[in-house]
Amino acid sequence: MKAFTYQRADSTAHAAAAAAKPGARFIAGGTNLLDLMKLQVETPSELVDINRLPLDKIEETPDGGLRVGALVRNSDLAADSRVRQRYGVLSRALLAGASAQLRNKATTGGNLLQRTRCYYFYDVTKPCNKRNPGSGCAALAGFNRIHAILGTSDHCIATHPSDMAVAMRALDAKVETVNGEGEPRVIPIAEFHRLPGKTPEIETSLKPGEIITAVTLPPPPPGVHVYRKVRDRASYAFALVSVAAIVDSTRGRIRSARLAFGGLALKPWREPQAEEKLVDASADTATFGAAANAVLDGARGFGGNDFKIPLTRRTLHSVLAETTRT
Amino acid sequence: MDENEPITIEITRRTVIETGTTALLLTALPPAALAAGPSDGNQPPPPSATVTLQINDRSHQLTLDPRTTLLDALREHLALTGSKKGCDHGQCGACTVLIDGRRINSCLTLAVMHDGQSVTTIEGLAEGETLHPLQAAFVEHDGFQCGYCTSGQICSAVGMLAESRSGMPSYVTEDLTHPVAELTDAEIRERMSGNICRCAAYPNIVAAIKQAAGTPT
C-alpha cells in the first residue's frame, strides 16, 4: 500500500473541501477502496474519513418516499422495515450483494462508487484504459466472461458490479451531493454512472470533492418487486446477469413495468422501449420475447461473454413470468 | 499493557505455537515493514496515528502507521493472532471480528478508523474457562478440520445469530415483510456465505450453528 495521510472529517463541508485536493479520496466503508489500495490500483495520497459524519439516517420524505443517508450501511438499508415493505426490490438486491460482513461496512454512497471487478483493471501489470488511460483494453481479446454486452466501446468493456444501484435505477432514485463550496446538487441515477466511450476512467458525473450526502427514493411504484441475480455460485458472487423488476399486472394483463439490468454494462441498464412493449400487453411469451428483443437490440458479445445474450433473454422471461403470475 | 513499547515475549516452544513464528519475527522488524500490501519503495513512512481501541473489554492505545489494517493491528501489534489472515481481500472471512457487536472483515478496514470503538475477537468470546456456546458447539460437532477458518467462522456466527434475532432478513428469506421464524440450513448457509472453509467442513459448521442458535448467547 502506498503511504497516505489520514484525517477524519468533522463536517460535510470540511470533507468536501479536503477531498477536492488532487490525490485525496473519501473513505467510508472502505471495503472496495482498501482492497484496491493493497494492489496499488488505487494510490491516494490522502484519505478523508467520513464515517463520523451524520449521514446515517433513513427518513420519510413529504411525497411518501425515503431519503437514505450516504452512510447508511447496506445491511441496515436492507433490513429497514419501510424498505422491506415498500421497496422490496431494493432490499432483495442489497441482500444479494457481497457477504454479511461486507454489507455491515459498505455504505449507500460507497456502493454507488464501487469500481469494476474486471480482472485486467485489478491486474496492474496489464493494460487498462480505466486504470491507466491510453494503455489499451486487455479484456477485448482476453478472458471476458464477466464483461459487458451493452454500451461498450473500443476502450472498455467492463461492467458495474453493484446490485443496489440496479434496483435504484428501476426505482428512479436521485443522488444528492454537496461540493467543496457547499452547493447542493441532485443527480438522477440514470445520469450518475457513465458509459465508457473514449474516457472509461471517468465513471460518474461527480466533480472533484463533490460528496454524496443521500439517495432519495420516490414513492414506490405499484406492482410486484423482484430482484433476480444469476451468478456462478449460489451466494457471495457478482452477477453475470441480474434483473430488477417492478411489474404491475392483473389477470394476465400488464399495466406497467420497470426493468433494470445488472452485469450487462458499465452502468445499471434500462431500456424504455422494452418497458413500453409491456404496457397494456398480455403477459405471455410473445410479449416477454418482444421486451427481451428491445433490451438486447445492439447487444454484442466478445467471445467469453456471448452466453450473456441468451442468459439475459431467459432470465427476463423467468422474471416476467414470476411477476405476472397472479 | 503499554502498546507503545515493543512487545516482549519470552520465547518458549509453547509461545511459538500460540503466537506463531511469523508474529515473533515481525515484531523485530521496523514498523513500516508491518504495513499491509506491497512494499512502498523509497517513500518515507507517513506520520503515525494514535488510536484507542476497546478490545475484548480492555483498552489499548496504539501508535500506528495509518496503513495498518485492524487485522494487522490485532495480530502484529497486540499478538492477538486468533483472527487469521487468509486472503487479505475480504473474500474468505478468516479475519472476521465484531465491532460494536457487528461482524466485519478486519482485513478491509484501517485500525485508525475505529478509534474509541469496541472490538471483540475470538480471544474475547469465552468466559474464563467456559467456552462460548458457539465454540462448544463447534467442538461438539467437529465443525473444522485444519481450523484456520474457525475463529472467523465462530465470530461470524456470533454476529449472524445477533442479526437473525434482531429480524435481519437474508437473500433466501421467502417473505421480506415477515421476521424469520426459523434458521433453516438454507438460511444458515446463505448468512454464513462470507466465510469460506477450504476443508469443506460445512455440514458440521451448519450443525454447530443450528445447535447454538437454540442456546441463548
Side-chain angles (χ1 to χ4, degrees):
Chain A
M1 208 184 289
K2 292 274 188 192
F4 55 84
T5 54
Y6 170 86
Q7 62 169 307
R8 189 174 296 144
D10 50 25
S11 72
T12 306
H14 166 213
K21 283 181 269 177
R25 293 292 305 269
F26 297 119
I27 187 163
T31 53
N32 189 206
L33 181 59
L34 287 169
D35 185 26
L36 292 166
M37 284 168 65
K38 289 180 181 191
L39 300 167
Q40 299 195 9
V41 175
E42 293 264 20
T43 53
S45 55
E46 185 165 345
L47 284 187
V48 182
D49 182 351
I50 58 170
N51 280 292
R52 312 281 166 117
L53 300 182
L55 302 173
D56 59 350
K57 304 282 185 299
I58 305 173
E59 301 159 317
E60 301 273 353
T61 58
D63 66 353
L66 286 179
R67 184 172 185 274
V68 182
L71 290 174
V72 172
R73 307 289 155 173
N74 286 178
S75 49
D76 294 326
L77 185 56
D80 185 273
S81 60
R82 294 161 294 188
V83 176
R84 284 156 71 180
Q85 282 170 17
R86 285 146 55 185
Y87 302 95
V89 66
L90 177 58
S91 184
R92 190 75 74 182
L94 285 158
L95 294 169
S99 68
Q101 289 97 315
L102 293 168
R103 293 192 294 270
N104 277 340
K105 269 260 146 208
T107 62
T108 306
N111 189 314
L112 289 174
L113 294 175
Q114 61 177 311
R115 315 290 304 273
T116 183
R117 273 22 178 232
C118 171
Y119 328 117
Y120 303 101
F121 173 70
Y122 262 74
D123 183 347
V124 294
T125 69
K126 297 290 187 298
C128 171
N129 288 320
K130 190 180 269 301
R131 174 169 37 73
N132 184 12
S135 63
C137 173
L140 279 168
F143 289 98
N144 48 35
R145 186 166 182 278
I146 64 170
H147 288 75
I149 56 170
L150 288 165
T152 56
S153 77
D154 293 343
H155 303 269
C156 181
I157 60 169
T159 57
H160 195 268
S162 173
D163 293 295
M164 180 196 82
V166 177
M168 286 181 172
R169 182 88 171 85
L171 291 165
D172 282 330
K174 292 183 174 67
V175 183
E176 295 185 5
T177 69
V178 170
N179 69 10
E181 279 77 52
E183 295 158 341
R185 184 157 80 113
V186 177
I187 308 167
I189 192 149
E191 295 161 25
F192 185 81
H193 295 106
R194 296 167 53 120
L195 288 175
K198 290 179 178 169
T199 54
E201 72 278 14
I202 303 171
E203 298 181 347
T204 69
S205 52
L206 291 179
K207 303 282 191 298
E210 191 172 10
I211 182 171
I212 300 173
T213 51
V215 173
T216 50
L217 306 175
V224 177
H225 288 218
V226 164
Y227 187 77
R228 179 76 60 84
K229 183 173 182 179
V230 183
R231 44 188 160 174
D232 280 330
R233 55 185 187 195
S235 183
Y236 198 16
F238 290 97
L240 293 167
V241 173
S242 71
V243 181
I246 304 166
V247 181
D248 187 22
S249 73
T250 181
R251 293 198 203 101
R253 195 107 204 134
I254 301 167
R255 278 193 285 256
S256 67
R258 295 180 183 212
L259 304 169
F261 298 83
L264 302 188
L266 199 48
K267 63 188 287 183
W269 195 262
R270 208 161 154 192
E271 178 46 64
Q273 289 190 26
E275 295 173 20
E276 282 163 25
K277 301 269 185 212
L278 297 169
V279 174
D280 200 27
S282 168
D284 56 37
T285 51
T287 302
F288 302 164
N293 286 342
V295 172
L296 292 164
D297 185 30
R300 176 192 168 193
F302 295 86
N305 65 349
D306 292 351
F307 73 98
K308 283 192 177 186
I309 294 173
L311 183 62
T312 303
R313 183 179 300 281
R314 290 171 190 160
T315 307
L316 180 59
H317 265 263
S318 171
V319 165
L320 289 173
E322 180 184 341
T323 51
T324 55
R325 208 172 282 148
T326 50
Chain B
M1 194 198 305
D2 181 357
E3 277 76 32
N4 293 325
E5 291 173 15
I7 299 165
T8 47
I9 301 170
E10 188 191 345
I11 301 179
T12 63
R13 184 171 172 272
R14 183 164 175 80
T15 51
V16 169
I17 291 166
E18 281 179 346
T19 59
T21 47
T22 317
L24 288 169
L25 287 171
L26 287 175
T27 53
L29 294 173
L34 298 178
S39 77
D40 202 16
N42 297 321
Q43 281 188 44
S48 54
T50 302
V51 59
T52 302
L53 300 170
Q54 298 289 325
I55 301 171
N56 302 330
D57 293 329
R58 278 188 59 194
S59 182
H60 296 265
Q61 195 178 69
L62 295 168
T63 300
L64 300 168
D65 182 316
R67 287 173 287 185
T68 313
T69 62
L70 178 60
L71 177 63
D72 284 339
L74 293 170
R75 290 180 54 85
E76 315 296 357
H77 293 262
L78 296 167
L80 290 169
T81 53
S83 306
K84 297 293 186 262
K85 186 180 281 193
C87 67
D88 208 25
H89 286 278
Q91 296 174 4
C92 75
C95 67
T96 303
V97 301
L98 301 147
I99 302 259
D100 295 332
R102 290 162 66 115
R103 53 180 168 160
I104 65 152
N105 300 113
S106 63
C107 75
L108 281 189
T109 195
L110 299 171
V112 290
M113 292 161 67
H114 297 284
D115 190 37
Q117 293 181 340
S118 169
V119 183
T120 305
T121 70
I122 189 73
E123 291 91 344
L125 290 181
E127 301 229 3
E129 292 297 306
T130 308
L131 292 179
H132 184 282
L134 270 161
Q135 291 175 308
F138 267 67
V139 172
E140 189 179 333
H141 289 274
D142 206 13
F144 44 80
Q145 196 176 119
C146 82
Y148 197 79
C149 73
T150 310
S151 46
Q153 297 277 1
I154 291 175
C155 284
S156 183
V158 171
M160 184 275 273
L161 291 183
E163 288 163 11
S164 152
R165 283 168 189 156
S166 72
M168 168 79 74
S170 86
Y171 185 65
V172 301
T173 304
E174 193 106 344
D175 184 348
L176 292 176
T177 61
H178 284 87
V180 176
E182 189 194 356
L183 277 180
T184 60
D185 286 8
E187 282 280 358
I188 292 171
R189 286 174 184 276
E190 167 60 26
R191 288 163 190 262
M192 292 295 294
S193 70
N195 291 83
I196 310 294
C197 173
R198 191 65 186 78
C199 307
Y202 298 112
N204 296 1
I205 292 171
V206 170
I209 293 171
K210 217 169 179 177
Q211 175 181 305
T215 318
T217 49

